[in-house]
Amino acid sequence: MAVIIDEQRRIFTLHTQNSTYQMKADAQNVLLHTYYGEKTDNSDKSLLYYQTDRGFSGNPYEMGRIDRTYSMDSLLQEYSSFGTGDYRITSLKVENKDGSQAAELRYAGYRLHQGKYFIPGMPAVYAENGEAQTLMIRLADPYSGLKVELYYGILEETDIITRAVKITNQGTEDIVLKKAASMNLDWEYGEFEWISFYGRHGMELNFQRERIHHGIQAVGSVRGTSSHQYNPFAILCEKGADEKMGSCYGFSFVYSGEFLMEAEKDQIDRTRLICGIHPDNFSWTLHGGDTFWTPEVMMTHSGSGLGKVSRNFHKVIREHICRGGWKEKQRPVLINNWEATYFDFTGEKLVAIAKEAKKQGVELFVMDDGWYGKREDDSTGLGDWFPNEKKLGCTLKELAERITAEGMQFGIWLEPEGISEDSDLYRCHPDWAVAVPGRKPCLSRGELILDFSREDVQDYIIKRIAELLGGIPVTYVKWDCNRAICDKFSRMLDGSRQGEFSHRYVLGLYRVLEELTEKFPEILFEGCGGGGGRFDAGLLYYMPQIWGSDTTDAIERLSIQYGASFGYPVSVMGTHVSTVPNHQTGRVTPLATRGCMAMAGTFGYELDIGKLTQEEKTEIREQINLFKKHYNLIQHGDYYRISSPYEGTCTVWEIADPSGREVLISAVYHHVQANPVPVRVKVQGLKDEAGYQLFLNEDFNEKYPGKRLPFGFRPGEVISGAALRQFGFVVPEAVNGFQAWQIYMKECPYPCE
Ligand code: GLA
């Protein structure tokens, strides 16, 4: 049983395979947080806590004369509220009818059931009945009609606990939510570090690790989307924790809109972490009887370092967030024409690119931006989702059929949330674009954004896109969103409810995605937000992959994909091989290196293969074969970060078959040195007692029979798993700049004949 409830002492203990989480309703009916960490027993952890009188930290009225050590300002709470004696960051802030901002949450019961709760209209972890349990704990404010239900989904096998909150106004007077976080987590003691991922367009998901200091640290987005600037994923770990050691907590927000993740170390060195919708752009009015659901947060704890946190998230995202046929099905190797042509193409040119790619083994052709309306550059046409037949030289259906007749699947780029002022859609419905009446809206990439909080706009987009997709043989859609949102205002909301805009926008987007993905289950949808501007677990519920960044430079991608690997599996990371010099950086890297980077993701191409030499075409054919050969290992294997792009000379990562039969190690030199220091890799995930053969860049052994491998031993020699784990091997040196090596290890009979 994952959930153990001590009815008498009102203790709730949640167990996963390797972690335990505990809460307790105390004598004052406050729901205390008592433990989260390594797996332990069901005993009452609150007995070990130390409370004393902290001057200027007041006491709830009923305790003030009896016990001055009892203070909301220092108690470890499960869901804290603003205005009634807790001066730290809090998870809930309401405004009552009389203007007061007070709420007191007291325990009012629980419910336990088999299976995982779901959240209406929003993405959430899903699981079969046997795989999850749901615990709901009810809190209520004794002075108002406020009811707060804390939901916990426990996925025992996966070491994941999810949280979401359902807030109901049971009274008759309006209550306005000013802040409604999805989770609150308190630690009584500990020196923590906080790992977050910041960035910008073209350079997302940079790793940042800081000490948790006194005061408040936060990352978040007020940009309408989860954003390039901060990813809604963070790790809190004990000081000094590394990939293999130390207590680490991971938090992934299953949401594609504005968020805030904040941490505070308080006056007595207790740490609190809160995650939820960003309160700056948020308020939500609950009339009597109304209910509000927060988005979900996934949490995990690892007692054995950061690597395990990542592998837990990889598994839960692959198996319990991604849905639909493409969750399991092998995804096609694609070619996208964006960097090959930008807006400058004709139907003929696209067919030529597709034909050439097909010859090398590519399976899907994706037509990117520029095929519709009056779209010759990025300033016009968005919203007019009707093909530009003059430019294509034929109808869209004919073009798609020409490409499919070549034996290629056909895919298409869309940006359904965008609208250009110079578009027929805007001329018909100027009020559909987000703007504050009487003010000029902010343009971004020359475009405006459709008001997806409106039902009529959602209906129109669903209908138009469904008609478009229904009329052509299409198996892939890239769903882009190329701007952040500001001037937040919806003509459909009255003045007092404009604070609901941002969240309603995201709910509208989710409705559109739900309906379209349900209508076209055979289509593979790839998310995109000008690259990684909406790279979050929420979007992955509708689309099993997301374009990682508009930067395709293999070396820049090292840090982007390194950052992503902390919270997201390889199978969701959109990556392509592009041309050199790279269009974003001007850097020249070997084709093998670009291939190696793209294989740490969904794998595809974004260049005109027709312009390459015969040698390069052959190399591409070999890359595709290699990727397909190792598809299952790459997409479903256990991921280990061996070294970081921020240190040393070589970034190394490893993907191991969970049963330890095979391993693929990728090593990319980001810095080339004279007389270099050896890069040693201690392999993880192998079976100690088994023997392994090593293959360098797959065909090295066949191409150079009998030649000594650069790491010392000869092809065919067998090394024990224990030796590879304990002693490791040295990555071959770089013989040219930015060189990549792919080292494949396969179990073989040992000792070998
Ligand atoms: C965004 C995407 C690119 C490309 C362009 C087209 O920037 O991230 O991959 O599709 O839009 O305008």
Side-chain angles (χ1 to χ4, degrees), residues 201 336 338 343 368-369 375 378 413 415 445 478 480 482 528-531 547 549-550 606:
H201 174 232
N336 177 305
W338 179 242
F343 292 105
D368 211 278
D369 196 358
R375 181 78 164 171
D378 61 15
W413 176 97
E415 193 187 336
R445 208 195 187 206
K478 178 174 169 188
D480 208 342
N482 270 321
C528 179
W547 180 227
S549 177
D550 275 352
E606 189 157 332

Side-chain angles (χ1 to χ4, degrees), residues 100-114:
S100 64
Q101 296 189 328
E104 274 174 59
L105 300 178
R106 297 293 180 263
Y107 177 74
Y110 78 92
R111 201 175 59 226
L112 177 66
H113 66 83
Q114 203 54 34

Side-chain angles (χ1 to χ4, degrees), residues 100-218:
S100 64
Q101 296 189 328
E104 274 174 59
L105 300 178
R106 297 293 180 263
Y107 177 74
Y110 78 92
R111 201 175 59 226
L112 177 66
H113 66 83
Q114 203 54 34
K116 166 75 178 48
Y117 66 88
F118 68 96
I119 307 178
M122 267 194 284
V125 162
Y126 65 91
E128 299 294 324
N129 264 357
E131 291 174 318
Q133 277 189 295
T134 294
L135 172 67
M136 183 279 289
I137 299 193
R138 192 175 309 113
L139 308 175
D141 179 359
Y143 298 98
S144 73
L146 189 70
K147 180 173 82 170
V148 173
E149 291 169 315
L150 307 179
Y151 278 80
Y152 300 83
I154 302 101
L155 278 78
E156 198 173 352
E157 284 300 303
T158 329
D159 276 332
I160 292 285
I161 297 177
T162 68
R163 294 180 63 170
V165 181
K166 184 180 168 190
I167 303 172
T168 306
N169 179 359
Q170 299 185 113
T172 48
E173 297 192 327
D174 285 2
I175 295 176
V176 182
L177 302 178
K178 303 291 242 180
K179 182 179 185 184
S182 301
M183 62 156 287
N184 178 122
L185 197 57
D186 283 355
W187 287 265
E188 196 206 15
Y189 67 95
E191 280 290 306
F192 290 109
E193 290 169 342
W194 139 277
I195 298 173
S196 59
F197 302 88
Y198 70 95
R200 55 190 183 274
H201 174 232
M203 205 53 223
E204 301 84 347
L205 286 155
N206 300 283
F207 175 94
Q208 171 169 263
R209 183 170 180 161
E210 294 158 300
R211 188 174 68 86
I212 290 282
H213 51 67
H214 289 100
I216 300 167
Q217 276 149 287

Side-chain angles (χ1 to χ4, degrees), residues 16 21 36 116-117 119 123-126 151-155 158-165 182-185 231-236 248-255 261 273 275-276 294-301 309-322 535-541 566-569 572:
T16 69
Y21 189 99
Y36 188 27
K116 166 75 178 48
Y117 66 88
I119 307 178
V125 162
Y126 65 91
Y151 278 80
Y152 300 83
I154 302 101
L155 278 78
T158 329
D159 276 332
I160 292 285
I161 297 177
T162 68
R163 294 180 63 170
V165 181
S182 301
M183 62 156 287
N184 178 122
L185 197 57
N231 195 270
F233 172 77
I235 295 175
L236 204 76
C248 308
Y249 302 84
F251 306 92
S252 183
F253 199 27
V254 189
Y255 189 60
M261 280 188 177
L273 186 126
C275 170
T294 71
E296 179 167 281
V297 178
M298 302 186 281
M299 314 187 297
T300 196
H301 173 264
V309 165
S310 301
R311 287 187 290 281
N312 290 348
F313 280 119
H314 296 173
K315 194 166 161 63
V316 73
I317 287 177
R318 276 194 314 244
E319 296 176 11
H320 300 282
I321 289 277
C322 294
F535 201 95
D536 56 69
L539 203 63
L540 291 170
Y541 186 70
F566 282 86
Y568 304 92
V572 309

